[in-house]
């Protein structure tokens, strides 16, 4: 009876439990895979298509499943990372050294799902120091630092920082002699202290300053971000049946692209989360509230998330495990003389995973969900001198500007029906997972951009009836197969097509590597190396320079590192066959790239 009641409650409230499509990148993976910014890792996940391969600090947009860029959501330690104003998340502002893991869940929230980023907790029982130094990629370099130690019996301190410099990535036909120039300074500190015998609290501050100049624009980009977090949680939640936690956070973004464009967004929020572990059952509850103040030239709004409730109930059955989940969200916004608007959106879904059958596990799920469009969106022609953000051709060709919605009674709402079905083969120390995904828009309502007929020629975002909504389907493959002599075969791939035209892939890509890791001698000396190949399938891509069919392309790489007594030396090369290729029309990627890095870990 209790189990039935929890099933019903989870269907009424709720939110998805942790799940994953594609690989889970942990800290060890982050420094064995070649990447410059976090976006280089995120685009390996199903459906993640980059609109921009931009300069350091410049907003890098994703158009997942060829949806709108704001339909990809990102959380870090449960705190939303998307800006409230336009819904965007910029992965270039997240150093990899800070993360413990990256996990992607397709059946979460908006159309493209959600990334869950987990922050590392550094060792503090003895003083711990970590330094990463890397140079390469034609002027790209980073210096990362981390320190953890116990400064009192009940007081710990963690500090991480980054200095990033960048002097050119793209080869531009009209400006072959000019380079991008960027500097990024970032620091994060966290103090932990006991609140009695059961509870522990953390105070975190993070700040970053980015100065960036692109050769296509005479104006320099500047971004400043500050964030503060207060966390209260149980010391050892794994030993208790009920482990509540509370987070209070505030974040401010200031952004400027010369004169007159500049923006400021101040967001404050509170998150209450709890897990109740019962026999054969785990119940999750999460509540979120935020208040954001947004200011652009001629645009000022206040967005208040009154209440967002998530719950999920995971139940173990004889044939496997089932999780049912849902969510309810109420939001309001005011500004520019528009009366206060209240909007309610919700979602519901379920997942299952079978017990192993001859080392094979069947898994799948389905979700119906709603999502509000952001308060404003950048659209119109691509105006580099004001703010270099890519705009899709269907957004129209008008002057770049911000506008409020014309519909003053409700914000535009997107609705999605998502489902997936897959099979995983669990090997001894490895796995092979193949998952098919489907995405459609219930009710045939879709947010589209339309040009007004007035003298201003503004573009507005509003729900529009679509007589025939063609579903999109995709197939994701993730593998990690152990071989002999320390070798391992790893790979991730994705292909996407329309449901009524499966033979015509609109997007496909893959990454595979033969990885080697072995410890020599008693010290030991640990050698890690790989040979990789990254594949970009034929696809329609666009930039401000036009629209074109690109690919297929392939880029091969080599990496080798040696570690002894906490000191690691790394050498690698990408595209060592010097194959010409483009990520976006007009932006030819540079040829053979080499990099050299050092990583030092000290336990003092």
């Amino acid at each position: 009876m209790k189990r039935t009641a929890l099933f019903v409650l989870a269907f009424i409230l709720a939110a998805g439990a942790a799940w994953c499509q594609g690989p889970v990148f942990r800290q060890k993976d982050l420094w064995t895979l070649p990447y410059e910014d976090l976006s280089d890792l995120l685009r390996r996940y199903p459906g993640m298509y980059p609109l921009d391969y931009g300069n350091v600090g410049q907003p890098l947009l994703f158009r997942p499943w060829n949806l709108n860029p704001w339909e990809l959501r990102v959380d870090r330690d449960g705190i939303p990372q998307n800006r409230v104003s336009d819904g965007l998340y910029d992965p270039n502002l997240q150093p990899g050294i800070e993360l413990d893991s990256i996990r992607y869940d397709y059946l979460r929230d908006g159309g493209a799902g959600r990334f869950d980023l987990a922050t590392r907790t550094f060792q503090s029982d003895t003083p711990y120091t970590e330094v990463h130094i890397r140079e390469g990629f034609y002027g790209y370099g980073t210096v990362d630092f981390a320190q953890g130690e116990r400064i009192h019996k009940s007081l710990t301190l963690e500090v991480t920082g980054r200095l990033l410099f960048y002097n050119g990535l793209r080869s531009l036909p009209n400006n072959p002699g000019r380079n991008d120039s960027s500097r990024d300074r970032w620091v994060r500190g966290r103090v932990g202290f006991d609140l009695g015998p059961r509870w522990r609290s953390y105070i975190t501050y993070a700040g970053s300053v980015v100065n960036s100049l692109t050769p296509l624009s005479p104006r320099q980009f500047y971004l400043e971000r500050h964030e503060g977090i207060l966390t209260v949680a149980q010391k050892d939640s794994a030993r208790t049946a009920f482990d509540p936690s509370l987070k209070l956070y505030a974040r401010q973004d200031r952004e400027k692209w010369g004169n007159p464009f500049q923006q400021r967004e101040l967001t404050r929020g509170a998150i209450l989360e709890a897990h109740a572990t019962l026999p054969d059952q785990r119940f999750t509850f999460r509540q979120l509230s935020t208040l954001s103040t947004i200011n652009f030239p001629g645009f000022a709004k206040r967005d208040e998330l009154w209440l967002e409730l998530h719950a999920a109930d995971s139940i173990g059955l004889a044939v496997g495990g089932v999780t049912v989940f849902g969510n309810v969200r109420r939001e309001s916004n005011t500004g520019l003389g528009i009366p206060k608007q209240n909007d309610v959106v919700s979602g519901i879904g379920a997942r299952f995973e079978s017990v192993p059958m001859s080392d094979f596990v069947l898994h799948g799920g389905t979700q119906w969900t709603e999502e509000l469009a952001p308060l404003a969106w950048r659209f119109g022609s691509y105006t580099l001198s004001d703010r270099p953000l890519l705009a899709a051709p269907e957004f129209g060709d008008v002057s770049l500007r911000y506008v409020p919605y014309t519909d003053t009674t409700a914000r535009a709402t997107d609705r999605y029906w998502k489902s997936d079905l897959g099979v995983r083969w669990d090997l001894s120390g490895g796995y092979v997972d193949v998952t098919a995904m489907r995405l459609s828009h219930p009710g045939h309502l879709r947010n589209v951009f339309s040009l007004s007929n007035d003298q201003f020629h503004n573009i507005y975002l509003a729900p529009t009836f679509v007589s025939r909504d063609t579903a999109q389907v995709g197939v994701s493959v993730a593998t990690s197969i152990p071989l002999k002599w320390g070798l391992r075969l790893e790979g991730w791939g994705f292909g996407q097509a329309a449901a009524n035209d499966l033979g015509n892939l609109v997007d496909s890509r893959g990454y595979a590597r033969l990885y080697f890791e072995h410890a020599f001698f008693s010290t030991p000396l640990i050698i890690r190396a790989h040979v990789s190949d990254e594949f970009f399938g034929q696809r329609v891509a666009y930039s401000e320079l036009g629209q074109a069919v690109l690919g297929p392309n392939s880029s091969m790489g080599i990496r080798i590192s040696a570690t002894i007594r906490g000191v690691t030396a790394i050498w690698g090369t990408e595209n060592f066959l010097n194959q010409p290729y483009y990520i976006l029309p007009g932006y030819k990627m540079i040829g053979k790239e080499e990099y050299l890095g050092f990583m030092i870990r000290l336990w003092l």
Side-chain angles (χ1 to χ4, degrees):
M1 193 64 157
K2 291 182 179 179
R3 179 173 295 179
T4 303
L6 286 172
F7 256 105
V8 174
L9 177 61
F11 266 108
I12 295 175
L13 292 173
W19 211 264
C20 186
Q21 285 84 6
V24 177
F25 290 133
R26 304 196 182 277
Q27 176 60 209
K28 177 183 175 181
D29 302 309
L30 296 185
W31 62 269
T32 64
L33 288 166
Y35 75 98
E36 293 183 2
D37 300 303
L38 194 63
S39 57
D40 294 312
L41 294 175
L42 300 189
R43 63 186 174 90
R44 303 187 194 279
Y45 284 88
M48 298 300 118
Y49 168 72
L51 269 80
D52 186 13
Y53 205 77
N55 204 348
V56 172
Q58 295 179 5
L60 188 148
L61 310 184
F62 278 88
R63 199 183 186 201
W65 286 74
N66 290 303
L67 299 172
N68 293 314
W70 62 77
E71 291 167 299
L72 172 65
R73 312 302 295 174
V74 180
D75 276 3
R76 189 188 65 207
D77 298 329
I79 297 177
Q81 299 300 294
N82 299 71
R83 290 194 303 221
V84 176
S85 57
D86 51 22
L88 294 181
Y89 167 69
D90 183 8
N92 288 343
L93 297 178
Q94 176 66 68
I97 189 176
E98 184 195 32
L99 297 179
D100 179 67
S101 65
I102 303 172
R103 184 183 296 266
Y104 171 64
D105 186 0
Y106 173 63
L107 299 181
R108 282 280 298 276
D109 302 322
R114 180 182 293 273
F115 278 105
D116 285 314
L117 311 179
T119 301
R120 296 172 68 188
T121 298
F122 291 91
Q123 178 178 319
S124 58
D125 291 337
T126 58
Y128 175 79
T129 302
E130 184 174 310
V131 178
H132 297 200
I133 301 174
R134 176 174 156 178
E135 170 69 33
F137 289 113
Y138 289 81
Y140 176 91
T142 58
V143 177
D144 292 300
F145 169 81
Q147 174 73 26
E149 62 180 292
R150 185 174 297 277
I151 56 179
H152 188 265
K153 182 175 64 173
S154 61
L155 197 65
T156 58
L157 173 66
E158 301 172 20
V159 178
T160 51
R162 157 168 284 198
L163 173 63
L164 186 148
F165 47 91
Y166 179 68
N167 294 315
L169 170 66
R170 297 179 291 202
S171 174
L172 303 170
N174 297 328
N175 297 276
R178 295 190 61 186
N179 290 326
D180 300 347
S181 177
S182 300
R183 299 294 182 269
D184 183 1
R185 298 178 300 278
W186 175 88
V187 66
R188 180 179 185 270
R190 183 167 78 162
V191 176
F193 52 93
D194 294 335
L195 296 175
R198 289 188 56 193
W199 297 90
R200 187 162 178 81
S201 181
Y202 296 93
I203 297 177
T204 305
Y205 165 78
S208 62
V209 175
V210 178
N211 286 280
S212 180
L213 180 66
T214 172
L216 296 178
S217 173
R219 300 185 179 180
Q220 188 166 354
F221 165 71
Y222 174 81
L223 181 136
E224 178 183 310
R225 168 175 286 186
H226 299 279
E227 181 179 44
I229 305 170
L230 172 63
T231 303
V232 179
Q234 291 191 101
K235 287 184 179 180
D236 192 357
S237 61
R239 295 186 179 182
T240 62
F242 182 65
D243 58 334
S245 65
L246 173 67
K247 290 187 177 75
L248 305 176
Y249 72 94
R251 180 174 60 243
Q252 176 179 267
D253 284 329
R254 288 183 178 273
E255 187 177 343
K256 186 176 182 180
W257 287 96
N259 188 22
F261 180 83
Q262 55 185 327
Q263 72 166 13
R264 177 181 180 271
E265 177 176 310
L266 177 62
T267 301
R268 294 83 81 193
I271 299 173
L272 176 64
E273 188 169 1
H275 306 276
T277 303
L278 307 173
D280 300 322
Q281 195 165 319
R282 181 173 173 83
F283 184 77
T284 299
F285 170 84
R286 184 172 185 263
Q287 182 269 330
L288 168 67
S289 300
T290 63
L291 173 63
S292 296
T293 305
I294 303 129
N295 289 281
F296 309 120
F299 184 97
K301 277 218 173 188
R302 175 188 173 101
D303 181 84
E304 183 178 0
L305 173 59
W306 291 13
L307 187 66
E308 182 177 64
L309 293 178
H310 296 264
D313 193 14
S314 301
I315 300 176
L317 305 174
V319 296
V322 176
T323 300
V324 291
F325 56 92
N327 63 73
V328 175
R329 179 182 178 104
R330 183 172 183 180
E331 197 165 354
S332 67
N333 64 87
T334 59
L336 291 180
I338 298 177
K340 189 172 185 178
Q341 306 170 33
N342 295 314
D343 302 279
V344 177
V345 294
S346 60
I348 191 171
R351 297 185 176 93
F352 74 92
E353 181 171 306
S354 72
V355 296
M357 298 171 288
S358 300
D359 297 326
F360 287 90
V361 175
L362 187 67
H363 59 85
T366 187
Q367 180 199 35
W368 177 85
T369 186
E370 297 179 330
E371 181 182 49
L372 294 174
L375 293 172
W377 179 241
R378 306 173 178 89
F379 43 75
S381 62
Y382 188 97
T383 308
L384 279 165
S385 60
D386 288 335
R387 195 178 200 279
L389 287 181
L390 295 176
E394 60 266 28
F395 290 2
D397 185 14
V398 297
S399 299
L400 184 69
R401 68 187 72 190
Y402 287 84
V403 295
Y405 295 114
T406 53
D407 185 354
T408 60
T409 60
R411 287 169 60 184
T413 303
D414 284 322
R415 297 176 175 88
Y416 313 92
W417 187 275
K418 301 186 290 183
S419 57
D420 67 13
L421 180 63
V423 60
R424 186 178 69 248
W425 180 25
D426 289 328
L427 306 170
S428 178
Y431 66 93
V432 178
D433 189 290
V434 180
T435 302
M437 293 171 280
R438 187 179 187 275
L439 171 66
S440 62
H441 296 76
H444 304 292
L445 285 175
R446 182 181 301 170
N447 276 326
V448 299
F449 294 85
S450 59
L451 183 66
S452 70
N453 294 321
D454 56 28
Q455 60 176 329
F456 302 105
H457 299 291
N458 287 332
I459 289 184
Y460 298 102
L461 181 65
T464 299
F465 179 78
V466 180
S467 60
R468 183 180 181 183
D469 181 22
T470 301
Q472 303 175 68
V473 295
V475 176
S476 172
V477 179
T479 63
S480 179
I481 304 174
L483 305 174
K484 294 182 178 180
W485 309 299
L487 293 171
R488 177 181 293 269
L489 182 62
E490 297 179 331
W492 312 284
F494 177 73
Q496 176 186 336
N500 60 355
D501 191 8
L502 297 180
N504 182 20
L505 292 178
V506 299
D507 183 24
S508 62
R509 78 201 74 125
Y511 179 85
R513 69 175 182 172
L514 182 62
Y515 179 76
F516 171 80
E517 180 174 341
H518 190 73
F520 297 90
F521 314 119
S522 59
T523 306
L525 170 64
I526 302 175
I527 300 296
R528 299 180 177 93
H530 75 227
V531 177
S532 65
D533 181 69
E534 185 167 10
F535 172 77
F536 301 92
Q538 183 170 302
R539 65 209 179 279
V540 177
Y542 53 82
S543 71
E544 84 289 355
L545 301 178
Q547 179 174 305
V549 177
L550 302 179
N553 305 110
S554 182
S555 176
M556 300 189 69
I558 299 175
R559 183 189 186 279
I560 184 169
S561 69
T563 302
I564 186 168
R565 297 189 183 276
V567 178
T568 302
I570 305 169
W571 174 85
T573 176
E574 296 299 310
N575 194 20
F576 68 88
L577 296 181
N578 202 21
Q579 296 293 313
Y581 70 100
Y582 293 78
I583 296 291
L584 301 169
Y587 292 93
K588 182 180 179 182
M589 301 304 290
I590 62 177
K592 181 180 178 182
E593 309 171 77
E594 294 187 59
Y595 58 90
L596 180 66
F598 295 93
M599 184 168 65
I600 304 172
R601 293 180 171 178
L602 300 175
W603 294 262
L604 303 176

